Amino acid sequence: MPRRRPLVIGHRGAPGYRPEHSRSSYDLALAMGVDAVEPDIVVSKDGVLVVRHENEISGTTDVAARPEFADRRTTKSVDGVSLTGWFTEDFTWDELATLRCRERLPELRTVSASFDDRQPVLRLRDVLDLVRAASLEQGREIAVVLEIKHATYMEALGWDLAELIVNELRDAGWADGRHPLVIEAFEATILDRLRERGIRGSYIYLIEASGKPYDLVARLGRHAPTYKREVSPAGLDALVGRVDGISVDKRLILAPDRWGRTSGPAPLVREARERGLRVFTWTVRPENAFLIAQFRGQGGRAAFGDYEGEWGVIRDAGLDGVFVDHPDLGVAFFGS
């Protein structure tokens, strides 16, 4: 089945309306007609691939309200950042399965927060099966965009993360190209390892607007290249043949000035595509809190601003895919 351009990807489902990574979030995104959904994966204590935005789960589950898990609260350094809370790698899957999903941004998304504490945490296998069933039911191809979180950190805990992912994808029937699969990470090393193991799909390197890839920081220390270097002409040249594309923070497309205004899309998309690289961007959201200053409106952070103005600049860049929190708005705007 032909897909619209750009690919409209339900970012963690439909988190503008339901708690991210919950069953209802994915169901809603699929019903709204997205081309793909994006689960983030982390690892449990017993090696289960769990669908969560981060391995620290106090903001997206009810774990902090569960007295039986109070003693699991701890402080860790994850990718060089000190975090205090509860971490998936300290729980078995059976324990995680008792937790319930919560809205990560309740002050902005009150409707979504009204669905808190109703739905269990999901595994990667749950999402893969859900998407395959929806694809058959709707009679169209629906992709999974699998984001791998904190690969170097997880492997330092002793997991062969690539092996866990390979086994899960093969067991679920998603490893051989029968279903459209995109694999993405902020660390290119894990992408290399999965490609070497023969997993068929598109490999996309995630790029932050600032900072450095943690796999390179772990290996090279202060000599690690920045993400900014990765999207320079020389950096893009080095990615050719290694990955199929890049997925960048939308600020790298909008390139706002110091007053939060854009004069049009930056040349990054054109430069990448000239080298045969696909380009995705994240995350397009309608709320004032997430728009650059030029497109913010009245009504406070939770109100919708002139999102069509900002999204128009992004669309004009000629992207291959966009991540959306409100799938109905994304399909209507980018699918037209």
Side-chain angles (χ1 to χ4, degrees), residues 18 58 73 111 129 141 191 217 224 252 265 293 308 314 323 329:
R18 299 290 187 274
S58 62
R73 187 173 187 268
V111 171
D129 290 348
E141 282 192 330
L191 300 179
V217 171
L252 294 175
E308 291 185 331
I314 291 170
F323 290 82
L329 302 183

Side-chain angles (χ1 to χ4, degrees), residues 99-167:
L99 302 178
R100 294 298 178 263
C101 300
R102 286 188 174 180
E103 168 55 45
R104 188 170 56 88
L105 303 168
E107 71 285 358
L108 291 179
R109 295 175 171 172
T110 56
V111 171
S112 178
S114 71
F115 291 86
D116 282 358
D117 300 342
R118 301 185 189 184
Q119 302 167 79
V121 172
L122 300 176
R123 302 165 300 175
L124 173 60
R125 181 61 180 267
D126 299 322
V127 177
L128 295 175
D129 290 348
L130 176 65
V131 173
R132 179 170 53 196
S135 182
L136 290 171
E137 180 181 346
Q138 297 181 25
R140 64 189 183 94
E141 282 192 330
I142 305 172
V144 167
V145 180
L146 173 60
E147 180 177 344
I148 304 164
K149 287 294 184 77
H150 309 301
T152 298
Y153 170 85
M154 292 296 174
E155 294 192 339
L157 297 177
W159 294 112
D160 184 340
L161 187 56
E163 188 67 15
L164 292 177
I165 295 168
V166 167
N167 290 341

Side-chain angles (χ1 to χ4, degrees), residues 264-279:
L268 171 60
V269 178
R270 173 180 53 79
E271 293 170 349
R273 297 190 74 176
E274 285 174 350
R275 292 163 170 81
L277 296 170
R278 300 169 69 192
V279 185

Side-chain angles (χ1 to χ4, degrees), residues 79-91:
D79 295 357
V81 178
S82 180
L83 297 173
T84 298
W86 288 260
F87 297 83
T88 58
E89 63 267 23
D90 296 330
F91 294 80

Side-chain angles (χ1 to χ4, degrees), residues 11-331:
H11 182 236
R12 309 169 195 157
Y17 303 112
R18 299 290 187 274
E20 64 185 34
H21 292 316
S22 65
R23 172 64 187 262
S24 67
S25 184
Y26 287 109
D27 283 342
L28 188 57
L30 294 166
M32 287 177 167
V34 295
D35 299 303
V37 294
E38 182 233 24
D40 301 316
I41 57 167
V42 292
V43 185
S44 72
K45 185 176 182 178
D46 49 349
V48 175
L49 297 175
V50 181
V51 177
R52 286 288 88 194
H53 170 54
E54 295 288 347
N55 58 323
E56 200 290 294
I57 53 175
S58 62
T60 60
T61 73
D62 64 347
V63 66
R66 301 286 292 274
E68 67 270 35
F69 298 133
D71 62 348
R72 308 281 179 94
R73 187 173 187 268
T74 188
T75 298
K76 300 188 180 189
S77 178
V78 180
D79 295 357
V81 178
S82 180
L83 297 173
T84 298
W86 288 260
F87 297 83
T88 58
E89 63 267 23
D90 296 330
F91 294 80
T92 66
W93 165 245
D94 285 346
E95 291 173 326
L96 291 170
T98 70
L99 302 178
R100 294 298 178 263
C101 300
R102 286 188 174 180
E103 168 55 45
R104 188 170 56 88
L105 303 168
E107 71 285 358
L108 291 179
R109 295 175 171 172
T110 56
V111 171
S112 178
S114 71
F115 291 86
D116 282 358
D117 300 342
R118 301 185 189 184
Q119 302 167 79
V121 172
L122 300 176
R123 302 165 300 175
L124 173 60
R125 181 61 180 267
D126 299 322
V127 177
L128 295 175
D129 290 348
L130 176 65
V131 173
R132 179 170 53 196
S135 182
L136 290 171
E137 180 181 346
Q138 297 181 25
R140 64 189 183 94
E141 282 192 330
I142 305 172
V144 167
V145 180
L146 173 60
E147 180 177 344
I148 304 164
K149 287 294 184 77
H150 309 301
T152 298
Y153 170 85
M154 292 296 174
E155 294 192 339
L157 297 177
W159 294 112
D160 184 340
L161 187 56
E163 188 67 15
L164 292 177
I165 295 168
V166 167
N167 290 341
E168 189 74 275
L169 292 174
R170 286 181 175 157
D171 288 346
W174 281 79
D176 58 5
R178 280 183 289 170
H179 307 290
L181 176 68
V182 178
I183 303 176
E184 61 178 12
F186 286 102
E187 302 176 25
T189 304
I190 187 66
L191 300 179
D192 294 338
R193 295 181 61 205
L194 287 167
R195 174 164 261 169
E196 289 167 358
R197 297 191 188 203
I199 297 300
R200 294 184 61 185
S202 296
Y203 289 82
I204 303 295
Y205 186 26
L206 287 161
I207 305 286
E208 295 270 18
S210 61
K212 298 180 177 183
Y214 190 70
D215 55 337
L216 300 183
V217 171
R219 189 162 72 242
L220 303 174
R222 64 185 181 88
H223 299 293
T226 63
Y227 281 118
K228 184 177 180 180
R229 167 65 173 75
E230 301 280 66
V231 294
S232 68
L236 293 173
D237 287 342
L239 293 175
V240 174
R242 187 180 185 190
V243 296
D244 299 299
I246 58 175
S247 183
V248 303
D249 186 315
K250 69 175 184 177
R251 289 175 291 175
L252 294 175
I253 306 297
L254 296 167
D257 61 22
R258 59 185 295 187
W259 297 282
R261 301 186 63 86
T262 178
S263 58
L268 171 60
V269 178
R270 173 180 53 79
E271 293 170 349
R273 297 190 74 176
E274 285 174 350
R275 292 163 170 81
L277 296 170
R278 300 169 69 192
V279 185
F280 296 3
T281 196
W282 46 274
T283 303
V284 299
R285 296 166 166 136
E287 296 104 333
N288 284 321
F290 304 111
L291 299 172
I292 64 172
Q294 177 179 349
F295 299 107
R296 294 174 195 153
Q298 302 297 314
R301 287 168 50 82
F304 288 9
D306 178 20
Y307 67 89
E308 291 185 331
E310 182 178 286
W311 293 9
V313 178
I314 291 170
R315 182 178 58 191
D316 290 347
L319 294 157
D320 296 282
V322 293
F323 290 82
V324 300
D325 279 6
H326 297 72
D328 54 339
L329 302 183
V331 168

